[in-house]
Amino acid sequence: MRRIVVLSDLQIPYHDKKAVAAFLRFLTAYQPDELASVGDEVDFPQISRWNRGMEGEYRGDLQTHVNAGVMFFEQVRNVYSGPVRVMRSNHMDRPLRYVRQYAPGLLGLKALTVPSLLEFERLNVIYHEQPYELAPGWLLAHGDEAGGSTPVPGGVAMRLARKWGKSVVCGHTHKFGMQHDHSTVNGKVTRPLFGMEVGNFMDFKAAHYLKAGSANWQQGFGILYVDGKTVTPTLVPIAGGKFVVEGRQYQ
């Protein structure tokens, strides 16, 4: 049976260092068959539209955030040598979007792409520009492909699953939950359809844009157990930097 661990949004430098450290210890011990990330590993707040023309755009610390993203993947590679895949995402799209809008003459420079900025070639990380089939009947996406949000966890993933006709695991919403929309006839399942959102690894106190620090978010990640064409999705909640997988606690 194959085990695919699905990493949720980190939003470096707004990540929860305690939770990330626990995840790296888990990765060391668990050694899954594959590690897949839904994207938004780095937040890139300096070049977001929210900081355009404001103090945050001129801090000059963009490279520091890039270095922190590279360091995370180096930490992963220090403990795990299996396949690592990263999905494109709206925050990781920010560097090229910024160039496209304000410095189009720089378009085409390989150095400004996400794989180059985060040194994916050196770290043997596969970068996906489009949703791809992570497991039989399951697509990995970021979640912004849905074009909007829903108040119920799992709702965005379910919307994409219905649209694409395959189960979807994604991030982006920072919510943590799973929905299903199976079809049966004559007592047999004809279309198993899941929508799974894997939460986030953020430090909520660092998300200063949240009014009163309030959001229906949940730290966590996912695991897909793949037995031939049968896929069993599992969500792993994180609380206080701790979580449990298959009866073992990590912290």
Side-chain angles (χ1 to χ4, degrees), residues 26-62:
F26 156 73
L27 198 60
T28 302
Y30 195 68
Q31 294 298 309
D33 296 282
E34 187 171 325
L35 174 64
S37 173
V38 298
D40 278 2
E41 293 80 15
V42 181
D43 188 88
F44 293 118
Q46 302 90 337
I47 49 179
S48 75
R49 61 191 176 97
W50 310 108
N51 274 330
R52 180 63 178 162
M54 300 179 70
E55 184 268 340
E57 187 179 16
Y58 300 99
R59 285 180 180 169
D61 58 355
L62 184 61

PDB file of all heavy atoms in Angstrom, residues 26-62:
ATOM      1  N   PHE A  26       7.906  13.807  12.043  1.00  0.00           N
ATOM      2  CA  PHE A  26       6.996  12.792  11.490  1.00  0.00           C
ATOM      3  C   PHE A  26       7.527  12.271  10.161  1.00  0.00           C
ATOM      4  O   PHE A  26       7.560  11.057   9.924  1.00  0.00           O
ATOM      5  CB  PHE A  26       5.617  13.408  11.307  1.00  0.00           C
ATOM      6  CG  PHE A  26       4.757  12.740  10.275  1.00  0.00           C
ATOM      7  CD1 PHE A  26       4.179  11.501  10.514  1.00  0.00           C
ATOM      8  CD2 PHE A  26       4.522  13.354   9.049  1.00  0.00           C
ATOM      9  CE1 PHE A  26       3.391  10.873   9.556  1.00  0.00           C
ATOM     10  CE2 PHE A  26       3.730  12.744   8.088  1.00  0.00           C
ATOM     11  CZ  PHE A  26       3.165  11.502   8.340  1.00  0.00           C
ATOM     12  N   LEU A  27       7.948  13.174   9.286  1.00  0.00           N
ATOM     13  CA  LEU A  27       8.459  12.773   7.973  1.00  0.00           C
ATOM     14  C   LEU A  27       9.682  11.870   8.124  1.00  0.00           C
ATOM     15  O   LEU A  27       9.843  10.889   7.385  1.00  0.00           O
ATOM     16  CB  LEU A  27       8.813  14.027   7.171  1.00  0.00           C
ATOM     17  CG  LEU A  27       8.953  13.883   5.658  1.00  0.00           C
ATOM     18  CD1 LEU A  27       7.653  13.389   5.035  1.00  0.00           C
ATOM     19  CD2 LEU A  27       9.364  15.224   5.046  1.00  0.00           C
ATOM     20  N   THR A  28      10.523  12.170   9.071  1.00  0.00           N
ATOM     21  CA  THR A  28      11.715  11.359   9.332  1.00  0.00           C
ATOM     22  C   THR A  28      11.337   9.929   9.691  1.00  0.00           C
ATOM     23  O   THR A  28      11.932   8.970   9.198  1.00  0.00           O
ATOM     24  CB  THR A  28      12.530  11.974  10.489  1.00  0.00           C
ATOM     25  OG1 THR A  28      12.888  13.312  10.157  1.00  0.00           O
ATOM     26  CG2 THR A  28      13.798  11.169  10.750  1.00  0.00           C
ATOM     27  N   ALA A  29      10.339   9.782  10.556  1.00  0.00           N
ATOM     28  CA  ALA A  29       9.951   8.455  11.035  1.00  0.00           C
ATOM     29  C   ALA A  29       9.036   7.725  10.056  1.00  0.00           C
ATOM     30  O   ALA A  29       9.154   6.511   9.872  1.00  0.00           O
ATOM     31  CB  ALA A  29       9.266   8.582  12.397  1.00  0.00           C
ATOM     32  N   TYR A  30       8.140   8.458   9.418  1.00  0.00           N
ATOM     33  CA  TYR A  30       7.079   7.842   8.617  1.00  0.00           C
ATOM     34  C   TYR A  30       7.555   7.417   7.226  1.00  0.00           C
ATOM     35  O   TYR A  30       7.141   6.376   6.717  1.00  0.00           O
ATOM     36  CB  TYR A  30       5.922   8.829   8.499  1.00  0.00           C
ATOM     37  CG  TYR A  30       4.621   8.232   8.017  1.00  0.00           C
ATOM     38  CD1 TYR A  30       3.906   7.334   8.801  1.00  0.00           C
ATOM     39  CD2 TYR A  30       4.086   8.600   6.781  1.00  0.00           C
ATOM     40  CE1 TYR A  30       2.689   6.814   8.377  1.00  0.00           C
ATOM     41  CE2 TYR A  30       2.874   8.087   6.343  1.00  0.00           C
ATOM     42  CZ  TYR A  30       2.186   7.197   7.139  1.00  0.00           C
ATOM     43  OH  TYR A  30       0.993   6.682   6.696  1.00  0.00           O
ATOM     44  N   GLN A  31       8.392   8.243   6.605  1.00  0.00           N
ATOM     45  CA  GLN A  31       8.941   7.950   5.279  1.00  0.00           C
ATOM     46  C   GLN A  31       7.854   7.512   4.285  1.00  0.00           C
ATOM     47  O   GLN A  31       7.803   6.361   3.839  1.00  0.00           O
ATOM     48  CB  GLN A  31      10.033   6.875   5.371  1.00  0.00           C
ATOM     49  CG  GLN A  31      11.277   7.315   6.121  1.00  0.00           C
ATOM     50  CD  GLN A  31      11.987   8.486   5.442  1.00  0.00           C
ATOM     51  OE1 GLN A  31      12.259   8.440   4.237  1.00  0.00           O
ATOM     52  NE2 GLN A  31      12.274   9.517   6.215  1.00  0.00           N
ATOM     53  N   PRO A  32       6.960   8.433   3.918  1.00  0.00           N
ATOM     54  CA  PRO A  32       5.883   8.085   2.978  1.00  0.00           C
ATOM     55  C   PRO A  32       6.439   7.762   1.597  1.00  0.00           C
ATOM     56  O   PRO A  32       7.610   8.028   1.296  1.00  0.00           O
ATOM     57  CB  PRO A  32       5.038   9.359   2.945  1.00  0.00           C
ATOM     58  CG  PRO A  32       6.011  10.459   3.247  1.00  0.00           C
ATOM     59  CD  PRO A  32       6.953   9.866   4.262  1.00  0.00           C
ATOM     60  N   ASP A  33       5.587   7.221   0.762  1.00  0.00           N
ATOM     61  CA  ASP A  33       6.014   6.918  -0.603  1.00  0.00           C
ATOM     62  C   ASP A  33       6.109   8.180  -1.453  1.00  0.00           C
ATOM     63  O   ASP A  33       6.800   8.196  -2.472  1.00  0.00           O
ATOM     64  CB  ASP A  33       5.036   5.924  -1.245  1.00  0.00           C
ATOM     65  CG  ASP A  33       5.048   4.593  -0.531  1.00  0.00           C
ATOM     66  OD1 ASP A  33       5.989   3.814  -0.761  1.00  0.00           O
ATOM     67  OD2 ASP A  33       4.132   4.338   0.277  1.00  0.00           O
ATOM     68  N   GLU A  34       5.418   9.226  -1.021  1.00  0.00           N
ATOM     69  CA  GLU A  34       5.449  10.486  -1.754  1.00  0.00           C
ATOM     70  C   GLU A  34       5.007  11.610  -0.842  1.00  0.00           C
ATOM     71  O   GLU A  34       4.181  11.417   0.044  1.00  0.00           O
ATOM     72  CB  GLU A  34       4.540  10.409  -2.986  1.00  0.00           C
ATOM     73  CG  GLU A  34       4.616  11.592  -3.919  1.00  0.00           C
ATOM     74  CD  GLU A  34       3.853  11.349  -5.223  1.00  0.00           C
ATOM     75  OE1 GLU A  34       3.839  10.202  -5.697  1.00  0.00           O
ATOM     76  OE2 GLU A  34       3.263  12.321  -5.741  1.00  0.00           O
ATOM     77  N   LEU A  35       5.579  12.786  -1.062  1.00  0.00           N
ATOM     78  CA  LEU A  35       5.157  13.999  -0.369  1.00  0.00           C
ATOM     79  C   LEU A  35       4.681  14.994  -1.420  1.00  0.00           C
ATOM     80  O   LEU A  35       5.410  15.315  -2.356  1.00  0.00           O
ATOM     81  CB  LEU A  35       6.315  14.602   0.432  1.00  0.00           C
ATOM     82  CG  LEU A  35       6.050  15.965   1.087  1.00  0.00           C
ATOM     83  CD1 LEU A  35       4.957  15.849   2.146  1.00  0.00           C
ATOM     84  CD2 LEU A  35       7.327  16.522   1.701  1.00  0.00           C
ATOM     85  N   ALA A  36       3.439  15.451  -1.285  1.00  0.00           N
ATOM     86  CA  ALA A  36       2.871  16.405  -2.231  1.00  0.00           C
ATOM     87  C   ALA A  36       2.406  17.639  -1.474  1.00  0.00           C
ATOM     88  O   ALA A  36       1.770  17.528  -0.428  1.00  0.00           O
ATOM     89  CB  ALA A  36       1.697  15.783  -2.986  1.00  0.00           C
ATOM     90  N   SER A  37       2.732  18.813  -2.003  1.00  0.00           N
ATOM     91  CA  SER A  37       2.348  20.064  -1.366  1.00  0.00           C
ATOM     92  C   SER A  37       1.297  20.774  -2.211  1.00  0.00           C
ATOM     93  O   SER A  37       1.424  20.846  -3.436  1.00  0.00           O
ATOM     94  CB  SER A  37       3.571  20.980  -1.194  1.00  0.00           C
ATOM     95  OG  SER A  37       3.177  22.250  -0.716  1.00  0.00           O
ATOM     96  N   VAL A  38       0.282  21.319  -1.543  1.00  0.00           N
ATOM     97  CA  VAL A  38      -0.785  22.027  -2.258  1.00  0.00           C
ATOM     98  C   VAL A  38      -0.353  23.421  -2.697  1.00  0.00           C
ATOM     99  O   VAL A  38      -1.080  24.103  -3.418  1.00  0.00           O
ATOM    100  CB  VAL A  38      -2.052  22.136  -1.392  1.00  0.00           C
ATOM    101  CG1 VAL A  38      -2.608  20.766  -1.048  1.00  0.00           C
ATOM    102  CG2 VAL A  38      -1.791  22.958  -0.129  1.00  0.00           C
ATOM    103  N   GLY A  39       0.847  23.874  -2.292  1.00  0.00           N
ATOM    104  CA  GLY A  39       1.332  25.188  -2.689  1.00  0.00           C
ATOM    105  C   GLY A  39       1.304  26.204  -1.565  1.00  0.00           C
ATOM    106  O   GLY A  39       1.044  25.879  -0.412  1.00  0.00           O
ATOM    107  N   ASP A  40       1.591  27.469  -1.917  1.00  0.00           N
ATOM    108  CA  ASP A  40       1.679  28.569  -0.954  1.00  0.00           C
ATOM    109  C   ASP A  40       2.703  28.278   0.130  1.00  0.00           C
ATOM    110  O   ASP A  40       2.479  28.572   1.314  1.00  0.00           O
ATOM    111  CB  ASP A  40       0.306  28.880  -0.338  1.00  0.00           C
ATOM    112  CG  ASP A  40      -0.537  29.767  -1.248  1.00  0.00           C
ATOM    113  OD1 ASP A  40      -0.070  30.103  -2.356  1.00  0.00           O
ATOM    114  OD2 ASP A  40      -1.667  30.125  -0.857  1.00  0.00           O
ATOM    115  N   GLU A  41       3.829  27.706  -0.290  1.00  0.00           N
ATOM    116  CA  GLU A  41       4.905  27.481   0.683  1.00  0.00           C
ATOM    117  C   GLU A  41       5.461  28.804   1.198  1.00  0.00           C
ATOM    118  O   GLU A  41       5.789  28.942   2.373  1.00  0.00           O
ATOM    119  CB  GLU A  41       6.031  26.644   0.055  1.00  0.00           C
ATOM    120  CG  GLU A  41       5.650  25.215  -0.266  1.00  0.00           C
ATOM    121  CD  GLU A  41       4.864  25.101  -1.556  1.00  0.00           C
ATOM    122  OE1 GLU A  41       4.844  26.069  -2.354  1.00  0.00           O
ATOM    123  OE2 GLU A  41       4.253  24.041  -1.771  1.00  0.00           O
ATOM    124  N   VAL A  42       5.599  29.787   0.293  1.00  0.00           N
ATOM    125  CA  VAL A  42       6.076  31.123   0.670  1.00  0.00           C
ATOM    126  C   VAL A  42       4.963  32.119   0.386  1.00  0.00           C
ATOM    127  O   VAL A  42       4.283  32.033  -0.642  1.00  0.00           O
ATOM    128  CB  VAL A  42       7.354  31.497  -0.105  1.00  0.00           C
ATOM    129  CG1 VAL A  42       7.849  32.882   0.314  1.00  0.00           C
ATOM    130  CG2 VAL A  42       8.462  30.464   0.131  1.00  0.00           C
ATOM    131  N   ASP A  43       4.774  33.080   1.272  1.00  0.00           N
ATOM    132  CA  ASP A  43       3.665  34.019   1.143  1.00  0.00           C
ATOM    133  C   ASP A  43       3.947  35.147   0.138  1.00  0.00           C
ATOM    134  O   ASP A  43       3.042  35.587  -0.566  1.00  0.00           O
ATOM    135  CB  ASP A  43       3.346  34.625   2.512  1.00  0.00           C
ATOM    136  CG  ASP A  43       2.085  35.454   2.496  1.00  0.00           C
ATOM    137  OD1 ASP A  43       1.004  34.884   2.708  1.00  0.00           O
ATOM    138  OD2 ASP A  43       2.175  36.676   2.251  1.00  0.00           O
ATOM    139  N   PHE A  44       5.191  35.627   0.073  1.00  0.00           N
ATOM    140  CA  PHE A  44       5.564  36.765  -0.781  1.00  0.00           C
ATOM    141  C   PHE A  44       4.681  37.993  -0.521  1.00  0.00           C
ATOM    142  O   PHE A  44       4.129  38.588  -1.456  1.00  0.00           O
ATOM    143  CB  PHE A  44       5.481  36.388  -2.263  1.00  0.00           C
ATOM    144  CG  PHE A  44       6.501  35.372  -2.706  1.00  0.00           C
ATOM    145  CD1 PHE A  44       6.096  34.136  -3.197  1.00  0.00           C
ATOM    146  CD2 PHE A  44       7.862  35.648  -2.645  1.00  0.00           C
ATOM    147  CE1 PHE A  44       7.030  33.187  -3.611  1.00  0.00           C
ATOM    148  CE2 PHE A  44       8.800  34.719  -3.063  1.00  0.00           C
ATOM    149  CZ  PHE A  44       8.397  33.485  -3.542  1.00  0.00           C
ATOM    150  N   PRO A  45       4.544  38.445   0.733  1.00  0.00           N
ATOM    151  CA  PRO A  45       3.667  39.594   1.014  1.00  0.00           C
ATOM    152  C   PRO A  45       4.171  40.900   0.399  1.00  0.00           C
ATOM    153  O   PRO A  45       3.378  41.790   0.091  1.00  0.00           O
ATOM    154  CB  PRO A  45       3.686  39.663   2.543  1.00  0.00           C
ATOM    155  CG  PRO A  45       5.001  39.065   2.933  1.00  0.00           C
ATOM    156  CD  PRO A  45       5.210  37.943   1.947  1.00  0.00           C
ATOM    157  N   GLN A  46       5.483  41.027   0.211  1.00  0.00           N
ATOM    158  CA  GLN A  46       6.040  42.282  -0.294  1.00  0.00           C
ATOM    159  C   GLN A  46       5.469  42.656  -1.667  1.00  0.00           C
ATOM    160  O   GLN A  46       5.334  43.841  -1.983  1.00  0.00           O
ATOM    161  CB  GLN A  46       7.568  42.181  -0.406  1.00  0.00           C
ATOM    162  CG  GLN A  46       8.276  41.840   0.889  1.00  0.00           C
ATOM    163  CD  GLN A  46       8.445  40.344   1.092  1.00  0.00           C
ATOM    164  OE1 GLN A  46       7.707  39.529   0.526  1.00  0.00           O
ATOM    165  NE2 GLN A  46       9.417  39.975   1.905  1.00  0.00           N
ATOM    166  N   ILE A  47       5.160  41.628  -2.476  1.00  0.00           N
ATOM    167  CA  ILE A  47       4.734  41.902  -3.846  1.00  0.00           C
ATOM    168  C   ILE A  47       3.266  41.519  -4.057  1.00  0.00           C
ATOM    169  O   ILE A  47       2.836  41.281  -5.181  1.00  0.00           O
ATOM    170  CB  ILE A  47       5.637  41.163  -4.857  1.00  0.00           C
ATOM    171  CG1 ILE A  47       5.792  39.681  -4.482  1.00  0.00           C
ATOM    172  CG2 ILE A  47       6.998  41.827  -4.947  1.00  0.00           C
ATOM    173  CD1 ILE A  47       6.647  38.884  -5.443  1.00  0.00           C
ATOM    174  N   SER A  48       2.517  41.502  -2.975  1.00  0.00           N
ATOM    175  CA  SER A  48       1.084  41.252  -3.096  1.00  0.00           C
ATOM    176  C   SER A  48       0.377  42.551  -3.460  1.00  0.00           C
ATOM    177  O   SER A  48       0.884  43.649  -3.212  1.00  0.00           O
ATOM    178  CB  SER A  48       0.511  40.707  -1.786  1.00  0.00           C
ATOM    179  OG  SER A  48       0.396  41.746  -0.832  1.00  0.00           O
ATOM    180  N   ARG A  49      -0.794  42.443  -4.018  1.00  0.00           N
ATOM    181  CA  ARG A  49      -1.561  43.642  -4.379  1.00  0.00           C
ATOM    182  C   ARG A  49      -1.977  44.430  -3.140  1.00  0.00           C
ATOM    183  O   ARG A  49      -2.233  45.641  -3.214  1.00  0.00           O
ATOM    184  CB  ARG A  49      -2.783  43.265  -5.210  1.00  0.00           C
ATOM    185  CG  ARG A  49      -3.792  42.342  -4.533  1.00  0.00           C
ATOM    186  CD  ARG A  49      -4.815  41.832  -5.546  1.00  0.00           C
ATOM    187  NE  ARG A  49      -5.753  40.866  -5.010  1.00  0.00           N
ATOM    188  CZ  ARG A  49      -6.974  41.169  -4.569  1.00  0.00           C
ATOM    189  NH1 ARG A  49      -7.385  42.417  -4.610  1.00  0.00           N
ATOM    190  NH2 ARG A  49      -7.777  40.234  -4.106  1.00  0.00           N
ATOM    191  N   TRP A  50      -2.007  43.763  -1.985  1.00  0.00           N
ATOM    192  CA  TRP A  50      -2.400  44.439  -0.752  1.00  0.00           C
ATOM    193  C   TRP A  50      -1.311  45.395  -0.268  1.00  0.00           C
ATOM    194  O   TRP A  50      -1.600  46.324   0.498  1.00  0.00           O
ATOM    195  CB  TRP A  50      -2.702  43.411   0.343  1.00  0.00           C
ATOM    196  CG  TRP A  50      -3.639  42.336  -0.117  1.00  0.00           C
ATOM    197  CD1 TRP A  50      -3.338  41.025  -0.379  1.00  0.00           C
ATOM    198  CD2 TRP A  50      -5.039  42.471  -0.407  1.00  0.00           C
ATOM    199  NE1 TRP A  50      -4.446  40.349  -0.810  1.00  0.00           N
ATOM    200  CE2 TRP A  50      -5.512  41.207  -0.840  1.00  0.00           C
ATOM    201  CE3 TRP A  50      -5.933  43.546  -0.336  1.00  0.00           C
ATOM    202  CZ2 TRP A  50      -6.831  40.989  -1.200  1.00  0.00           C
ATOM    203  CZ3 TRP A  50      -7.248  43.333  -0.703  1.00  0.00           C
ATOM    204  CH2 TRP A  50      -7.690  42.068  -1.121  1.00  0.00           C
ATOM    205  N   ASN A  51      -0.067  45.167  -0.681  1.00  0.00           N
ATOM    206  CA  ASN A  51       1.037  46.026  -0.245  1.00  0.00           C
ATOM    207  C   ASN A  51       1.509  46.988  -1.325  1.00  0.00           C
ATOM    208  O   ASN A  51       2.480  47.718  -1.129  1.00  0.00           O
ATOM    209  CB  ASN A  51       2.230  45.167   0.203  1.00  0.00           C
ATOM    210  CG  ASN A  51       2.128  44.754   1.654  1.00  0.00           C
ATOM    211  OD1 ASN A  51       1.558  45.468   2.471  1.00  0.00           O
ATOM    212  ND2 ASN A  51       2.684  43.605   1.983  1.00  0.00           N
ATOM    213  N   ARG A  52       0.842  47.004  -2.487  1.00  0.00           N
ATOM    214  CA  ARG A  52       1.257  47.856  -3.585  1.00  0.00           C
ATOM    215  C   ARG A  52       1.268  49.330  -3.167  1.00  0.00           C
ATOM    216  O   ARG A  52       0.272  49.868  -2.697  1.00  0.00           O
ATOM    217  CB  ARG A  52       0.316  47.662  -4.784  1.00  0.00           C
ATOM    218  CG  ARG A  52       0.670  48.527  -5.993  1.00  0.00           C
ATOM    219  CD  ARG A  52       2.028  48.184  -6.540  1.00  0.00           C
ATOM    220  NE  ARG A  52       2.326  48.976  -7.725  1.00  0.00           N
ATOM    221  CZ  ARG A  52       3.546  49.149  -8.212  1.00  0.00           C
ATOM    222  NH1 ARG A  52       4.580  48.586  -7.625  1.00  0.00           N
ATOM    223  NH2 ARG A  52       3.742  49.868  -9.298  1.00  0.00           N
ATOM    224  N   GLY A  53       2.468  49.957  -3.298  1.00  0.00           N
ATOM    225  CA  GLY A  53       2.629  51.365  -2.976  1.00  0.00           C
ATOM    226  C   GLY A  53       2.690  51.673  -1.501  1.00  0.00           C
ATOM    227  O   GLY A  53       2.760  52.839  -1.114  1.00  0.00           O
ATOM    228  N   MET A  54       2.725  50.619  -0.664  1.00  0.00           N
ATOM    229  CA  MET A  54       2.745  50.814   0.775  1.00  0.00           C
ATOM    230  C   MET A  54       4.100  50.400   1.344  1.00  0.00           C
ATOM    231  O   MET A  54       4.972  49.861   0.634  1.00  0.00           O
ATOM    232  CB  MET A  54       1.605  50.033   1.441  1.00  0.00           C
ATOM    233  CG  MET A  54       0.222  50.464   0.944  1.00  0.00           C
ATOM    234  SD  MET A  54      -1.135  49.528   1.696  1.00  0.00           S
ATOM    235  CE  MET A  54      -1.074  50.152   3.370  1.00  0.00           C
ATOM    236  N   GLU A  55       4.266  50.611   2.629  1.00  0.00           N
ATOM    237  CA  GLU A  55       5.558  50.381   3.279  1.00  0.00           C
ATOM    238  C   GLU A  55       6.072  48.964   3.079  1.00  0.00           C
ATOM    239  O   GLU A  55       7.262  48.737   2.877  1.00  0.00           O
ATOM    240  CB  GLU A  55       5.423  50.706   4.779  1.00  0.00           C
ATOM    241  CG  GLU A  55       6.710  50.598   5.569  1.00  0.00           C
ATOM    242  CD  GLU A  55       6.914  49.221   6.193  1.00  0.00           C
ATOM    243  OE1 GLU A  55       5.910  48.485   6.337  1.00  0.00           O
ATOM    244  OE2 GLU A  55       8.062  48.885   6.519  1.00  0.00           O
ATOM    245  N   GLY A  56       5.153  47.993   3.081  1.00  0.00           N
ATOM    246  CA  GLY A  56       5.577  46.602   2.964  1.00  0.00           C
ATOM    247  C   GLY A  56       6.267  46.275   1.662  1.00  0.00           C
ATOM    248  O   GLY A  56       7.092  45.352   1.598  1.00  0.00           O
ATOM    249  N   GLU A  57       5.943  47.027   0.620  1.00  0.00           N
ATOM    250  CA  GLU A  57       6.550  46.765  -0.686  1.00  0.00           C
ATOM    251  C   GLU A  57       8.017  47.189  -0.726  1.00  0.00           C
ATOM    252  O   GLU A  57       8.784  46.699  -1.564  1.00  0.00           O
ATOM    253  CB  GLU A  57       5.772  47.504  -1.781  1.00  0.00           C
ATOM    254  CG  GLU A  57       6.219  47.170  -3.189  1.00  0.00           C
ATOM    255  CD  GLU A  57       5.406  47.890  -4.248  1.00  0.00           C
ATOM    256  OE1 GLU A  57       4.697  48.864  -3.911  1.00  0.00           O
ATOM    257  OE2 GLU A  57       5.478  47.475  -5.417  1.00  0.00           O
ATOM    258  N   TYR A  58       8.434  48.046   0.190  1.00  0.00           N
ATOM    259  CA  TYR A  58       9.765  48.640   0.128  1.00  0.00           C
ATOM    260  C   TYR A  58      10.705  48.154   1.229  1.00  0.00           C
ATOM    261  O   TYR A  58      11.758  48.743   1.455  1.00  0.00           O
ATOM    262  CB  TYR A  58       9.645  50.171   0.192  1.00  0.00           C
ATOM    263  CG  TYR A  58       8.833  50.730  -0.947  1.00  0.00           C
ATOM    264  CD1 TYR A  58       7.485  51.061  -0.768  1.00  0.00           C
ATOM    265  CD2 TYR A  58       9.399  50.912  -2.206  1.00  0.00           C
ATOM    266  CE1 TYR A  58       6.726  51.557  -1.812  1.00  0.00           C
ATOM    267  CE2 TYR A  58       8.647  51.416  -3.259  1.00  0.00           C
ATOM    268  CZ  TYR A  58       7.316  51.735  -3.061  1.00  0.00           C
ATOM    269  OH  TYR A  58       6.563  52.227  -4.100  1.00  0.00           O
ATOM    270  N   ARG A  59      10.338  47.073   1.888  1.00  0.00           N
ATOM    271  CA  ARG A  59      11.164  46.601   3.005  1.00  0.00           C
ATOM    272  C   ARG A  59      12.490  45.995   2.561  1.00  0.00           C
ATOM    273  O   ARG A  59      13.462  45.949   3.315  1.00  0.00           O
ATOM    274  CB  ARG A  59      10.385  45.573   3.829  1.00  0.00           C
ATOM    275  CG  ARG A  59       9.309  46.209   4.693  1.00  0.00           C
ATOM    276  CD  ARG A  59       8.557  45.187   5.502  1.00  0.00           C
ATOM    277  NE  ARG A  59       7.529  45.819   6.323  1.00  0.00           N
ATOM    278  CZ  ARG A  59       6.583  45.153   6.975  1.00  0.00           C
ATOM    279  NH1 ARG A  59       6.543  43.829   6.886  1.00  0.00           N
ATOM    280  NH2 ARG A  59       5.688  45.799   7.687  1.00  0.00           N
ATOM    281  N   GLY A  60      12.525  45.455   1.351  1.00  0.00           N
ATOM    282  CA  GLY A  60      13.779  44.893   0.850  1.00  0.00           C
ATOM    283  C   GLY A  60      14.153  43.550   1.448  1.00  0.00           C
ATOM    284  O   GLY A  60      15.325  43.165   1.423  1.00  0.00           O
ATOM    285  N   ASP A  61      13.173  42.838   1.993  1.00  0.00           N
ATOM    286  CA  ASP A  61      13.473  41.550   2.630  1.00  0.00           C
ATOM    287  C   ASP A  61      12.911  40.359   1.850  1.00  0.00           C
ATOM    288  O   ASP A  61      12.757  39.270   2.397  1.00  0.00           O
ATOM    289  CB  ASP A  61      12.943  41.522   4.059  1.00  0.00           C
ATOM    290  CG  ASP A  61      11.432  41.781   4.146  1.00  0.00           C
ATOM    291  OD1 ASP A  61      10.811  42.075   3.107  1.00  0.00           O
ATOM    292  OD2 ASP A  61      10.881  41.692   5.268  1.00  0.00           O
ATOM    293  N   LEU A  62      12.647  40.553   0.569  1.00  0.00           N
ATOM    294  CA  LEU A  62      12.076  39.465  -0.237  1.00  0.00           C
ATOM    295  C   LEU A  62      13.015  38.259  -0.294  1.00  0.00           C
ATOM    296  O   LEU A  62      12.576  37.116  -0.181  1.00  0.00           O
ATOM    297  CB  LEU A  62      11.770  39.962  -1.648  1.00  0.00           C
ATOM    298  CG  LEU A  62      11.081  38.978  -2.595  1.00  0.00           C
ATOM    299  CD1 LEU A  62       9.728  38.554  -2.038  1.00  0.00           C
ATOM    300  CD2 LEU A  62      10.901  39.598  -3.981  1.00  0.00           C
TER     301      LEU A  62
END
